[in-house]
Amino acid sequence: MTEITAPKSPVTADQFADEIREQLKYAQGVTAEQATAADVYVAAAKAVRNHLQDAWFTTQADTVNGNTKAVGYLSAEFLMGKQLENALLNAGLTDQFDEAVKALGFEPKDIVDAEYEPGLGNGGLGRLAACFIDSLASLGVPAFGYGIQYRYGIFKQQFDENGKQVETPDYWLSNEEPWGHIDYNRDQKVSFGGEVVEENGKKVWKPAWSVRAVPVDYLVPGYKSQRVNTLRLWTARSYDEFDLLAFNRSEYMEAVEPKVKAENISKILYPEDSTKVGKELRLEQQYFFVSASLHDAIRVFYPGQDKPDLTTFPDKITFQLNDTHPVIGIPELMRILIDEYGYDWDTAWTITQKTFNYTCHTLLPEALEVWPSSLIGELLPRHLEIIEKISDQFKAELREKGVAENTINDMAIYTGDAVRMAYLATYGGSHVNGVAELHSQLLKDVTLKNFSDAYPDKFTNVTNGVTPRRFVKLANPALSDLITEGLGTDKWVSDLEMLQGLVPLAQDDEFVKKFAAVKQANKHAFVGFAKDHYGIDIDENTMFNTMVKRLHEYKRQSLKILAVISRYAGIKNGTVAADDVLPRTVFFGAKAAPGYYLAKMTIQLINNVARVINNDPDVKGKLAVHMLPNYNIEMAQNLIPATELDEQISQAGKEASGTGNMKFALNGALTVGTLDGANVEIRERVGAENFFLFGMNVDEVEALYANGYDPAKYYEADPRLKQAIDLVAGGTFSEGDRNAYAPLVSDWLTKDWFMTLADFTSYANIQAKIEELYTHPLDWNRKALLNVANSGFFSSDRSIEDYLERIWHTGPLAD
Ligand code: 26W
């Protein structure tokens, strides 16, 4: 991607300061002297946005008028993180901003800190969507991100005095939100309920109620590409705000009921991260944003046309379905084409299949959405009809292919009382991809085997990636400067495989020492961040060992805490010789879905293990544990650059990819991990000698399931494990209350579905290898530097290039 030269007139710091003063005065009614950091943040954000507006108009015009097919990324989640620094970087205004706010009497950091982090996502899937739209804009590919502007994002996490997770609402729109432009005149009507009637041979849907979908547009600036794409998030409004008659009858609840019912749709993000939510409101949310988005795309690409030739629709835009959440879009496009534009079934089907592609982000059966047909029938009666017809057509097609009847039944999209969204997505789209090589292989060999056998060409892989702008350039400026020094250019920020050029420098001890100094400086910085944000004291002369991700049994935070307890016991009872102890600080960060009982109990256990260890003088300076509250993008951007050892210890075959693993490798942490998800590809690229591998691989896991897994056997076999579990069961971490963790302990000893106990010994044994290397800082940092140098592949720019080549068949707009 050629870097287009700088914008027409780079603004000077003084001019930028004036623009901020303008905003303060005329848009916010305060003088620079009266302004608070929060005022200046809003003014600076608006000033940056204005600078991006021209490039946005040009990009929109080129997108609509050019003949470069656009990408529509349909996602129920976009975990964008704070916007100001990223917008300044991609707009090339960082220096001007720093000088301008200093001239206004503020510290840049205080303005950046004034921003409220939007939390419109749960975890991996939502953050991946954010990285992808950054890369699409940075590669100059015309694209629209389509989603929901939830009024309440992911809950805020605090811990009560017993270490239990407490959720509080994330009302992120309480203050002015300068990035989103609410565009009432580009609203869409979305309907629900009612019935389908036959009128002169045609099916007509008579909905019972409808809501107004209002777009809130966020500019998505590319890095040095002069292209600015759109993130269009829909917010729900009611057409009739208020039932005056009910009010006059002093039926106040009835009076506002229409408003509440409508606005409920975009009220809150479902905090579930890997277990399907069968709630009607969730389906309403999915249909709401998908229907609005499809109608919006027709409006954008066929402006002012009431009889557009929609057979060209798949050439104008190709839609990526981010997991099963937007898959109702397939019957919705069929309905639009047939009912609203009068196309026949076959023409509509051809258009629809060509328009959609599906990315699966999980392997957990419980995460694959299956909607009761009663719910779809009640909320979307016309869509259920269409789904039934698609399902029958699919069966007929399979019979054509000679597929066995029982297999056809196993593959049924509509089973009479349920609709399997992953099957609908696989049949209804052109491509299906997993998010790492191992994951995509398991989709073909297991989860969607019948489909892969019937439609082998549909299946492909695109290994995930992360944006180097936010997760290296912004999060780790010291490392970025060292990389630029080592490579002699900063072009690596938009061409990450250039990091390869650092490989020879790993043999240059001076350079490795500089690298080590960067890590130490980042550790020091995080000690300050943690003091400010969590009020905790951290010893920076310990190994920083981190495990941050959603709390889920398959990710095995339980394995980590059992190993920590075992180590604690070892130090206490001297089985680990005092001077052999390598001082380590273990950081956890993890939100649990509010209804996930065992996950919340694991958080409580981790907090209480931390309480006991951190207050035990016998291990002071040797071992410390911190469960940092409210893991979010900001914490990731501060903790990842400071981390030396990253935990990617999920059971093999369960983590579809992981993306945290990539961020840690790119920031010079070594990984201890299993052969799961993208760990496999990270290890392949950084070198097995630069990765701490342990545990069973997928085949060994499958074999153990097949032969019957008895976790208690492993409890008996390894005294370290037995001791650790006995300490938990014995009340050591619950002031003697032996029942506090009983459900967790009994799950470990009787079920342990994700085989934490079976992998414990291998995990405990590799710790010695890790600590041995850490006592040789030059070797440790050499290996860490080689992780950085060989992780350029894990840029989301490369992922997008793979999507462009294998699935979307489009590319950047002409310059
Ligand atoms: C219906 C509830 C629900 C909500 C979200 C089910 C499943 C999800 C997501 C698919 C869960 C998720 O975030 N998956 C993660 O996606 C990442 C991006 O591809 C992967 O890197 C992670 O391995 C995967 O767990």
Side-chain angles (χ1 to χ4, degrees):
M1 171 69 199
T2 51
E3 271 170 27
I4 300 178
T5 49
K8 55 188 179 315
S9 56
V11 63
T12 65
D14 293 352
Q15 287 166 328
F16 197 60
D18 291 345
E19 289 169 14
I20 294 174
R21 285 193 194 88
E22 286 262 306
Q23 288 289 343
L24 286 170
K25 210 163 172 192
Y26 301 109
Q28 293 156 241
V30 287
T31 64
E33 293 60 41
Q34 298 162 327
T36 64
D39 294 321
V40 173
Y41 156 67
V42 169
K46 290 186 172 175
V48 176
R49 202 178 189 284
N50 289 346
H51 271 276
L52 297 171
Q53 202 71 42
D54 293 346
W56 180 76
F57 276 113
T58 317
T59 304
Q60 297 318 298
D62 295 349
T63 299
V64 174
N65 309 329
N67 48 24
T68 304
K69 179 170 38 176
V71 172
Y73 202 82
L74 286 165
S75 180
E77 304 181 19
F78 285 94
L79 199 46
M80 298 293 283
K82 289 185 174 186
Q83 291 300 296
L84 182 56
E85 280 191 310
N86 185 68
L88 290 167
L89 172 69
N90 286 13
L93 290 170
T94 307
D95 302 343
Q96 292 92 327
F97 166 81
D98 291 351
E99 264 180 69
V101 295
K102 282 183 190 137
L104 290 160
F106 289 87
E107 271 310 307
K109 186 179 176 319
D110 298 335
I111 307 304
V112 168
D113 288 353
E115 179 171 3
Y116 191 111
E117 177 177 325
L120 304 182
N122 278 286
L125 171 137
R127 181 58 232 179
L128 186 84
C131 285
F132 277 8
I133 59 173
D134 175 79
S135 286
L136 282 160
S138 299
L139 291 167
V141 177
F144 293 83
Y146 281 116
I148 300 174
Q149 190 208 45
Y150 303 100
R151 185 165 284 277
Y152 294 90
I154 188 69
F155 61 83
K156 298 198 125 4
Q157 179 194 51
Q158 292 159 316
F159 303 125
D160 67 13
E161 65 288 354
N162 305 317
K164 285 189 174 152
Q165 170 177 291
V166 175
E167 302 92 18
T168 54
D170 168 50
Y171 191 28
W172 73 290
L173 292 171
S174 49
N175 297 321
E176 184 161 359
E177 197 283 296
W179 301 104
H181 164 63
I182 191 157
D183 188 349
Y184 290 98
N185 302 325
R186 252 62 60 194
D187 61 339
Q188 295 287 347
K189 182 175 186 177
V190 180
S191 302
F192 298 92
E195 56 177 358
V196 179
V197 299
E198 190 93 21
E199 279 172 8
N200 42 33
K202 278 199 171 315
K203 293 282 181 147
V204 180
W205 178 23
K206 303 276 184 201
W209 56 286
S210 47
V211 302
R212 185 181 181 202
V214 178
V216 184
D217 286 354
Y218 293 81
L219 303 187
V220 183
Y223 175 76
K224 293 190 176 174
S225 69
Q226 299 322 305
R227 291 300 185 184
V228 179
N229 283 331
T230 311
L231 172 59
R232 186 156 289 157
L233 300 181
W234 300 94
T235 182
R237 294 281 192 289
S238 85
Y239 282 104
D240 38 17
E241 288 289 322
F242 193 64
D243 182 336
L244 196 55
L245 302 176
F247 180 83
N248 297 344
R249 291 194 302 275
S250 45
E251 292 163 10
Y252 300 122
M253 286 316 289
E254 286 71 22
V256 296
E257 204 273 334
K259 178 176 167 34
V260 172
K261 183 177 172 67
E263 293 181 1
N264 264 352
I265 290 180
S266 58
K267 187 72 79 187
I268 189 162
L269 167 78
Y270 274 90
E272 271 70 32
D273 169 87
S274 277
T275 37
K276 59 178 163 289
V277 187
K279 304 262 184 350
E280 179 161 351
L281 182 59
R282 170 90 174 174
L283 181 58
E284 286 174 10
Q285 288 185 337
Q286 295 180 349
Y287 179 66
F288 166 76
F289 89 93
V290 168
S291 176
S293 303
L294 291 172
H295 283 95
D296 183 72
I298 292 170
R299 175 190 67 78
V300 166
F301 287 97
Y302 303 90
Q305 301 176 40
D306 50 9
K307 280 221 138 316
D309 169 11
L310 294 176
T311 62
T312 64
F313 191 57
D315 310 324
K316 302 276 187 192
I317 187 165
T318 180
F319 280 100
Q320 196 64 30
L321 301 166
N322 201 21
D323 215 89
T324 55
H325 315 152
V327 169
I328 194 72
I330 291 171
E332 171 63 358
L333 184 56
M334 287 296 284
R335 184 191 70 80
I336 293 170
L337 294 168
I338 296 166
D339 295 2
E340 295 184 12
Y341 290 93
Y343 287 89
D344 63 74
W345 178 273
D346 294 344
T347 308
W349 184 245
T350 307
I351 295 170
T352 300
Q353 259 195 330
K354 272 203 297 189
T355 298
F356 290 110
N357 307 285
Y358 161 51
T359 300
C360 174
H361 295 267
T362 187
L363 284 164
L364 303 177
E366 68 267 27
L368 296 176
E369 292 183 303
V370 177
W371 285 108
S373 46
S374 55
L375 196 49
I376 295 189
E378 188 202 318
L379 200 63
L380 303 166
R382 179 65 178 129
H383 297 76
L384 186 60
E385 286 183 354
I386 293 170
I387 290 169
E388 284 178 55
K389 194 163 178 186
I390 292 173
S391 185
D392 296 343
Q393 172 184 280
F394 180 41
K395 285 183 178 160
E397 212 170 284
L398 291 174
R399 281 196 196 91
E400 282 291 303
K401 283 174 175 285
V403 175
E405 266 319 304
N406 60 342
T407 306
I408 291 177
N409 281 335
D410 296 348
M411 296 169 77
I413 292 167
Y414 175 61
T415 64
D417 50 21
V419 176
R420 299 190 267 197
M421 302 311 269
Y423 292 6
L424 176 56
T426 304
Y427 175 57
S430 298
H431 299 90
V432 178
N433 74 285
V435 289
E437 282 173 7
L438 174 60
H439 176 229
S440 299
Q441 196 58 46
L442 289 169
L443 284 181
K444 289 193 285 190
D445 300 350
V446 184
T447 319
L448 295 169
K449 180 174 180 3
N450 293 328
F451 290 82
S452 169
D453 295 347
Y455 302 91
D457 305 346
K458 272 194 180 187
F459 285 78
T460 183
N461 171 59
V462 177
T463 297
N464 281 165
V466 300
T467 173
R469 272 69 69 181
R470 181 176 293 271
F471 290 109
V472 182
K473 182 70 176 161
L474 277 183
N476 202 338
L479 177 62
S480 300
D481 295 346
L482 183 64
I483 292 171
T484 300
E485 177 198 322
L487 297 177
T489 170
D490 70 349
K491 285 202 172 354
W492 57 271
V493 178
S494 44
D495 181 358
L496 207 58
E497 306 242 20
M498 288 178 70
L499 292 180
Q500 200 73 29
L502 296 173
V503 169
L505 293 167
Q507 304 320 315
D508 167 346
D509 291 2
E510 284 326 299
F511 192 84
V512 173
K513 287 186 183 125
K514 283 184 187 171
F515 173 84
V518 163
K519 182 60 77 177
Q520 197 58 39
N522 289 339
K523 290 170 72 175
H524 181 73
F526 187 72
V527 168
F529 178 87
K531 186 70 177 176
D532 297 351
H533 285 74
Y534 317 112
I536 58 175
D537 298 311
I538 295 166
D539 175 353
E540 64 185 81
N541 300 313
T542 60
M543 177 205 283
F544 279 22
N545 175 201
T546 301
M547 185 168 191
V548 286
K549 51 189 74 235
R550 286 294 296 254
L551 209 295
H552 198 288
E553 290 164 89
Y554 84 80
K555 295 174 185 280
R556 300 201 296 191
Q557 281 90 352
S558 53
L559 177 55
K560 181 63 186 171
I561 200 64
L562 283 172
V564 165
I565 294 168
S566 161
R567 177 151 206 81
Y568 171 58
I571 298 170
K572 291 283 285 183
N573 58 28
T575 46
V576 179
D579 48 11
D580 279 6
V581 176
L582 185 132
R584 193 190 290 212
T585 301
V586 179
F587 299 103
F588 286 92
K591 287 179 179 179
Y596 194 169
Y597 180 72
L598 278 183
K600 295 182 94 165
M601 184 168 283
T602 307
I603 288 178
Q604 185 187 359
L605 173 62
I606 293 171
N607 271 318
N608 284 281
V609 169
R611 174 180 52 77
V612 170
I613 289 178
N614 298 350
N615 296 296
D616 185 333
D618 294 351
V619 299
K620 188 148 188 47
K622 297 190 183 92
L623 183 59
V625 180
H626 299 286
M627 167 59 94
L628 303 172
N630 203 44
Y631 175 54
N632 62 8
I633 305 289
E634 181 182 20
M635 188 204 293
Q637 286 184 223
N638 285 274
L639 180 51
I640 292 173
T643 293
E644 295 163 293
L645 182 67
D646 172 37
E647 303 283 333
Q648 301 294 338
I649 61 176
S650 53
Q651 182 194 34
K654 295 300 186 294
E655 188 70 83
S657 165
T659 44
N661 46 10
M662 299 165 183
K663 295 161 189 168
F664 281 100
L666 279 167
N667 281 278
L670 294 183
T671 301
V672 54
T674 52
L675 281 178
D676 194 19
N679 295 357
V680 175
E681 292 158 79
I682 290 173
R683 182 170 172 270
E684 267 161 21
R685 288 178 181 273
V686 304
E689 69 284 2
N690 303 318
F691 187 101
F692 297 109
L693 179 68
F694 80 98
M696 292 177 282
N697 61 30
V698 175
D699 301 339
E700 290 158 337
V701 165
E702 287 317 311
L704 189 50
Y705 277 130
N707 311 342
Y709 170 51
D710 168 18
K713 213 175 82 226
Y714 295 85
Y715 163 79
E716 298 300 342
D718 190 322
R720 296 169 296 182
L721 177 57
K722 186 171 186 326
Q723 179 183 43
I725 292 178
D726 292 351
L727 285 171
V728 175
T732 305
F733 307 110
S734 47
E735 279 120 9
D737 168 0
R738 304 171 68 82
N739 296 319
Y741 305 110
L744 204 48
V745 171
S746 88
D747 178 275
W748 288 341
L749 295 176
T750 62
K751 191 164 160 267
D752 185 25
W753 179 248
F754 299 108
M755 298 176 180
T756 290
L757 276 56
D759 266 345
F760 179 87
T761 301
S762 171
Y763 182 63
N765 291 350
I766 200 160
Q767 300 308 319
K769 196 164 159 233
I770 293 170
E771 301 205 345
E772 160 52 28
L773 179 68
Y774 195 76
T775 56
H776 301 89
L778 208 52
D779 297 340
W780 180 281
N781 285 291
R782 199 185 316 284
K783 289 177 182 292
L785 178 56
L786 287 169
N787 268 261
V788 176
N790 293 299
S791 294
F793 173 84
F794 300 105
S795 166
S796 47
D797 297 351
R798 185 271 318 150
S799 302
I800 294 299
E801 275 155 359
D802 288 350
Y803 275 97
L804 291 169
E805 191 197 320
R806 295 170 196 161
I807 296 175
W808 299 331
H809 310 306
T810 185
L813 286 164
D815 292 345

